Amino acid sequence: MRATADGFGIDARLPELDLDGQPLSDQPPVRLAAFVDRADCRGAPDAVGAPPLRLPAPRDRPVDLRVLALRGDRAGPVVRQTATWSAPPPPPEAPLAFVDAAGAVQLSWLPPAPPADRVRVLRDGAAVAEAPADEAAFTDAAPPGEHAYALVALTPDAASAPSAAARVRVPAQEPR
């Protein structure tokens, strides 16, 4: 679980067996369900969706979370955790981006301030890579078209909001 700008991002190591000991691998994709400050997991969850699950969090107090993985109509074991939201690091500066002669997108950035130790690279809002923050560069073989690249600073417990975006246009490759 990581603190995000708007609450928590919950990811989970997915169970392989449901509560009855049956394999979950033959089921539809996993979803996570989160219950906030409840003694059990009855009723509608406070948040449900594909990992990483976004869950708004109160800023003024610890919350008691119960999270479980769902596949179809089957559930994995409940994981309980108490967490208090704290502000994540500020977003990094926008990356520098250009398309090289081979048609690859070259990104570079200033490393974010500690405690951020990793950077997530977003292309058009979707994560395409994670790298140590001090590597400060990434090459992307993006498909032709216009793309927006942004960075997210990561610490072990938090993820910043995305940086401002750098926009590039990848040309279609000429047939040889």
Side-chain angles (χ1 to χ4, degrees), residues 172-176:
Q173 294 294 320
E174 296 290 323
R176 295 183 186 202

Side-chain angles (χ1 to χ4, degrees), residues 30-91:
V30 72
R31 295 175 300 135
L32 296 177
F35 299 83
V36 179
D37 292 332
R38 293 200 232 170
D40 58 34
C41 296
R42 296 179 195 263
D46 294 294
V48 65
L53 179 61
R54 300 287 180 222
L55 178 67
R59 287 1 187 206
D60 58 347
R61 63 180 177 79
V63 293
D64 185 28
L65 298 175
R66 285 172 171 73
V67 179
L68 54 95
L70 306 169
R71 283 191 190 256
D73 62 352
R74 297 164 73 190
V78 175
V79 176
R80 182 177 174 194
Q81 182 172 356
T82 300
T84 302
W85 183 88
S86 59

